[in-house]
Amino acid sequence: MMLRVILLVLLLLHETTAANLPAKWQTLSGGAPLVIAQGGFSGVFPESSQYAYQFAQANSVKNVVLYCDLQMTKDGAGICHTDYRLDNSTTISSVFPKGQKTYPINGKQVRGWFAVDFTSDQLYNNVSLIQSIYSRPSIFDGSLPISMVEDVTGLHPSQFWINLQFNTFFKAHNLDAVDYITSVSGQVVIDYISSPEIDFLRSLMGKLGRSKTKLIFRFLSVDDVEPSTKKTYQAFLTDLATIKSFASGILVPKSYIWPVNHDQCLEPHTSLVADAHAVGLEVYADYFANDMPASYNYSFDPTAEYLQFIDNSDFSVDGVLTDFPSTASEAIACLAHNDKNVVPNKGRPLIITHNGASGVYAGSTDLAYQQAVADGADIIDCSVQMSKDGVAFCLESPDLMGHSTAVQTFMSLATTVPEIQSNNGIFSFDLSWSDILSLKPALTSPLSQAGLSRNPAAKNAGKFMTLDDFLNFAKTSTVSGVLINIENAAYLASKKGLGIVDAVSTALSNASYDQQANKQIFIQSDDIQVLAVFKKNPSYTRVLSIEETISDAPKPTVDEIKQFADAVDLPRTSIVADSGSFISGFTDVVKKMHAANISVHASVFRNEYLAIAFDYFSDPMVELATFVAGVEVDAVVTEFPATAAAYLRSPCSDLNAKLDYSILPIEPGSLLALAPPEALPPAEAPAPALQVADIQDPPLPPVIGRSQTSSVVAPPTTSPNGQPTNAASLSVCLLAVVLSCLCVMYQ
């Protein structure tokens, strides 16, 4: 009972009414596309569970359609479950271990546990639901019963949709879905009935009384065979008029509309929607899920995929079938028809890039910065690195191994620099600028080991940019400013004879950034002594980077930060704490920083669903809403600025606006509160509080002369073909050997 109470409170917190819908759409009716919740909110809860359906109602547009895949039990009852086989998403195999059977279904032998072999009492009272997709939350497994059709209709959905795959299967077991549906339709309203079986749909015609139920013909894969006509589903694409004779619309896999090639890139859309609309058929698209990226064109932003189907210049589908109905609701109610809106300048956080639009192109390249500007970034960033010959350029790390093709050419220069990182690297300060220019940049994929690689077509696209080129590009672009990140200044000065601080100061001065007021300049560093150098220019905003996750910032620490910085850059986990991929709470760090008039930048935001806690529904928009509207950070640092700009451009990002639908921040712990205590992930130790000693740094050492560096470095030479050579001077090598031998002799 307590779980039910908590759920009802959660539902009230998130309940929405009618969506803020544009006046005109390119749907058949001219109205907004429908959001159809596949088994409820099955992206979070076990599909077709009571929680899934209730959560879908509470977190979607008001007219969300609850979708039930009808299965029939041995005693003729109806349950909602996507697959004929129950074993992949229930506990039935452990409850009835001898209940496995093999049956022919539409020409294929299918083995598993089937509802037709069990009574409704056996299923409802003994079998529980589990999550069928392993990357989704499992904490609700075994705690929710199978839903009867009456359980779903008892929620009084705005609209109700029943899908039946093959009635021929049920007839083989002396059951008939036609009889069941006609009986149920006399008690509840069924707004839509879909099936890939033509004879089943035809048999319903005239049997639903005065009901306005729409019959929908469901397309399966193009090569699958429709059992009534023995034609492939592809064949019906050229015979839509026949479908119109018994159906009001069609439900198709989304690839029927926007094909994706083998490189996971979109191809031109087909004419299916236009052709279907021309004969009076509505078109509903299937297989939308935030955690199943479809194409690199969407940059892992699920709302971008919905918009491709509902807000393009040629057509709009009439509805989308989705596991994440809240995201579809955002796309329809908040984002569609807003691409021309201007992001407001006041009262909202800045969009700061992380190495440009580095989720799309290799970070810190010309293409990444150009994309960031086009995507609506406010501030573009340059993490400054130094070449051996003193050229300052932009790259996330001094280690070139992960960000370029350096391994192919300069692996012999790989070394360990403990002051910078624990693992081997090929460092920019060991290569000349001409060496670095001979390399290609590399697009990094932080979650590639989990199977989420970024677009391989852009893997080596773009060019490295010097700091001077970056500043000149930013000056002539539409961005409102730049962020210059400086790290490893002490090491570079004392060990390599490279003055990175002076290089940045000179570049800013040469580009007149120290004299202009129309561009914001952020100087960021993890070293307070670097920030102290730039205090002489009051127009610069100094940002202290705190890379480790913290749980608190005591007042003495905040006071110390205030002496050197105007803002802090914090990991997201220092602001919104998580545990086992669930949000456990908000820290007070932002409030304490704001109390001292210190701005807070949250970093780094990524669109890939595995980088997003379960509470955000695999939706980067919900995460942004939590940090922007919930915690009120002053800037979001992102590798996908287009997503942040789309959110801030939407009227739904303003919770003070009197709208019927908004993108709401999450309530920390709300999902965990719904799970049985025994299913909760183990509690994690809290992160440490930030202490004064953690941010103190010794004074910067002077820049030593090149002759004083700890290693002998040969001057760059040029081969006859004009390319730089990697070979050290032979005389220098011989001298090093002789000196080494002398040292051994006199020990």
Side-chain angles (χ1 to χ4, degrees):
M1 179 59 70
M2 180 59 69
L3 288 177
R4 295 285 183 181
V5 172
I6 294 172
L7 179 60
L8 288 174
V9 171
L10 179 65
L11 298 182
L12 290 173
L13 286 171
H14 285 263
E15 188 170 3
T16 57
T17 56
N20 324 300
L21 302 175
K24 182 65 177 176
W25 294 81
Q26 295 187 82
T27 56
L28 183 63
S29 67
L34 288 176
V35 175
I36 309 162
Q38 163 83 44
F41 210 125
S42 53
V44 174
F45 299 96
E47 62 99 356
S48 302
S49 65
Q50 196 83 345
Y51 278 10
Y53 284 120
Q54 288 176 306
F55 212 77
Q57 287 180 297
N59 290 275
S60 309
V61 289
K62 181 181 179 181
N63 64 337
V64 62
V65 183
L66 298 189
Y67 182 97
C68 166
D69 273 296
L70 176 64
Q71 307 298 334
M72 297 192 68
T73 64
K74 188 175 184 178
D75 53 343
I79 65 171
C80 296
H81 191 270
T82 296
D83 197 345
Y84 285 104
R85 296 166 297 184
L86 305 179
D87 41 297
N88 188 45
S89 53
T90 74
T91 58
I92 194 167
S93 61
S94 59
V95 176
F96 300 105
K98 297 181 179 180
Q100 192 177 34
K101 299 287 182 63
T102 300
Y103 293 123
I105 301 178
N106 200 30
K108 299 177 182 177
Q109 295 296 314
V110 180
R111 186 165 179 79
W113 279 257
F114 298 84
V116 294
D117 293 321
F118 303 92
T119 66
S120 55
D121 283 344
Q122 285 178 307
L123 295 177
Y124 190 81
N125 294 321
N126 298 286
V127 178
S128 300
L129 296 168
I130 61 175
Q131 182 57 260
S132 60
I133 297 177
Y134 297 130
S135 61
R136 294 176 178 176
S138 60
I139 61 172
F140 308 105
D141 287 4
S143 63
L144 299 167
I146 290 176
S147 293
M148 312 299 291
V149 170
E150 291 78 8
D151 294 328
V152 183
T153 59
L155 297 173
H156 306 293
S158 173
Q159 298 186 77
F160 184 52
W161 184 313
I162 284 181
N163 177 72
L164 184 89
Q165 286 299 88
F166 299 109
N167 194 36
T168 49
F169 171 72
F170 295 118
K171 284 186 173 181
H173 294 268
N174 298 315
L175 299 167
D176 193 341
V178 173
D179 294 339
Y180 174 80
I181 288 176
T182 53
S183 174
V184 170
S185 66
Q187 305 166 33
V188 299
V189 175
I190 304 175
D191 298 278
Y192 299 86
I193 298 174
S194 60
S195 177
E197 190 175 67
I198 291 177
D199 281 354
F200 168 71
L201 292 175
R202 288 189 182 277
S203 65
L204 287 172
M205 298 176 68
K207 293 185 178 180
L208 301 176
R210 296 183 178 180
S211 170
K212 296 183 179 180
T213 303
K214 293 183 178 181
L215 301 182
I216 308 297
F217 179 53
R218 182 173 192 174
F219 281 70
L220 302 182
S221 298
V222 290
D223 294 328
D224 285 342
V225 176
E226 194 281 320
S228 307
T229 63
K230 307 306 180 186
K231 295 181 180 179
T232 64
Y233 288 95
Q234 185 175 26
F236 287 99
L237 294 175
T238 57
D239 193 15
L240 296 175
T242 296
I243 297 174
K244 177 60 179 173
S245 67
F246 61 85
S248 301
I250 56 176
L251 173 63
V252 300
K254 58 190 179 183
S255 59
Y256 274 63
I257 300 169
W258 281 100
V260 176
N261 63 26
H262 66 279
D263 294 322
Q264 283 191 271
C265 293
L266 285 179
E267 295 185 344
H269 67 75
T270 68
S271 63
L272 176 58
V273 176
D275 295 343
H277 283 177
V279 299
L281 286 170
E282 295 175 324
V283 181
Y284 301 93
D286 194 4
Y287 298 113
F288 287 89
N290 295 4
D291 52 4
M292 297 179 185
S295 170
Y296 292 120
N297 296 73
Y298 305 132
S299 297
F300 298 96
D301 181 352
T303 62
E305 181 177 21
Y306 289 111
L307 293 174
Q308 193 77 15
F309 284 79
I310 66 172
D311 191 23
N312 64 75
S313 59
D314 297 323
F315 64 84
S316 170
V317 297
D318 300 277
V320 290
L321 184 60
T322 174
D323 292 1
F324 294 84
S326 65
T327 306
S329 297
E330 293 165 16
I332 294 168
C334 300
L335 304 175
H337 306 164
N338 285 334
D339 59 326
K340 303 301 182 184
N341 288 5
V342 177
V343 178
N345 291 322
K346 294 183 179 180
R348 57 90 173 172
L350 292 171
I351 301 170
I352 301 176
T353 64
H354 184 243
N355 309 308
S358 55
V360 181
Y361 290 107
S364 306
T365 60
D366 56 341
L367 294 181
Y369 291 126
Q370 291 167 20
Q371 188 68 48
V373 173
D375 287 345
D378 299 306
I379 308 294
I380 55 175
D381 71 306
C382 171
S383 288
V384 180
Q385 311 302 336
M386 300 293 290
S387 69
K388 181 172 65 176
D389 45 354
V391 176
F393 68 101
C394 303
L395 197 65
E396 180 177 3
S397 167
D399 183 3
L400 300 170
M401 289 182 69
H403 303 280
S404 74
T405 56
V407 171
Q408 302 172 15
T409 310
F410 296 106
M411 193 61 198
S412 61
L413 296 181
T415 186
T416 301
V417 181
E419 297 92 334
I420 294 178
Q421 62 186 39
S422 59
N423 54 307
N424 267 14
I426 301 172
F427 295 96
S428 65
F429 43 73
D430 291 331
L431 277 72
S432 69
W433 178 237
S434 60
D435 290 336
I436 294 170
L437 284 180
S438 71
L439 306 175
K440 293 181 180 180
L443 175 63
T444 59
S445 299
L447 295 165
S448 59
Q449 291 187 342
L452 292 178
S453 295
R454 292 172 177 173
N455 189 1
K459 182 178 180 180
N460 300 122
K463 299 177 181 178
F464 296 117
M465 294 187 76
T466 65
L467 176 58
D468 291 338
D469 290 340
F470 168 82
L471 292 173
N472 289 329
F473 168 77
K475 184 186 293 187
T476 58
S477 75
T478 57
V479 297
S480 58
V482 296
L483 183 147
I484 308 300
N485 185 46
I486 303 171
E487 295 186 357
N488 307 310
Y491 174 82
L492 291 172
S494 63
K495 298 296 179 67
K496 295 297 178 179
L498 295 169
I500 189 172
V501 174
D502 291 339
V504 170
S505 297
T506 300
L508 288 169
S509 178
N510 289 343
S512 302
Y513 274 82
D514 57 344
Q515 300 174 7
Q516 62 174 311
N518 61 336
K519 295 284 186 184
Q520 294 177 277
I521 297 92
F522 293 85
I523 303 296
Q524 178 172 299
S525 181
D526 59 353
D527 190 325
I528 60 174
Q529 300 299 336
V530 170
L531 299 180
V533 173
F534 289 92
K535 190 174 183 179
K536 61 187 177 182
N537 195 323
S539 64
Y540 293 171
T541 300
R542 293 165 296 149
V543 184
L544 177 63
S545 174
I546 302 171
E547 298 177 357
E548 299 298 322
T549 297
I550 61 174
S551 61
D552 191 19
K555 190 176 187 303
T557 307
V558 176
D559 292 341
E560 181 74 6
I561 292 172
K562 185 62 179 174
Q563 296 183 47
F564 298 93
D566 309 294
V568 291
D569 180 274
L570 298 173
R572 296 171 301 157
T573 49
S574 293
I575 300 169
V576 180
D578 62 23
S579 176
S581 297
F582 290 92
I583 299 302
S584 56
F586 296 155
T587 70
D588 290 329
V589 175
V590 172
K591 291 181 180 178
K592 292 183 177 182
M593 293 293 177
H594 282 174
N597 200 29
I598 298 173
S599 299
V600 177
H601 301 177
S603 67
V604 172
F605 288 84
R606 298 185 172 100
N607 284 358
E608 289 95 337
Y609 73 92
L610 288 178
I612 300 173
F614 288 135
D615 302 67
Y616 301 130
F617 317 141
S618 301
D619 185 345
M621 292 278 181
V622 177
E623 183 180 34
L624 285 166
T626 301
F627 279 83
V628 172
V631 187
E632 298 182 342
V633 298
D634 303 283
V636 293
V637 182
T638 176
E639 296 178 347
F640 296 91
T643 301
Y647 166 71
L648 292 172
R649 191 166 54 237
S650 163
C652 297
S653 63
D654 182 4
L655 298 188
N656 294 319
K658 295 181 179 180
L659 303 174
D660 294 324
Y661 187 89
S662 294
I663 304 174
L664 298 176
I666 62 101
E667 295 291 330
S670 58
L671 282 185
L672 290 175
L674 296 173
E678 64 273 13
L680 296 178
E684 297 180 5
L690 184 67
Q691 304 299 331
V692 172
D694 297 328
I695 63 171
Q696 291 180 329
D697 296 292
L700 291 175
V703 179
I704 63 171
R706 297 292 290 168
S707 61
Q708 295 175 271
T709 56
S710 58
S711 60
V712 179
V713 180
T717 59
T718 305
S719 63
N721 63 5
Q723 296 297 316
T725 178
N726 299 325
S729 165
L730 178 61
S731 60
V732 173
C733 291
L734 291 174
L735 177 61
V737 171
V738 171
L739 291 175
S740 177
C741 292
L742 289 174
C743 289
V744 172
M745 291 172 59
Y746 286 96
Q747 282 183 343

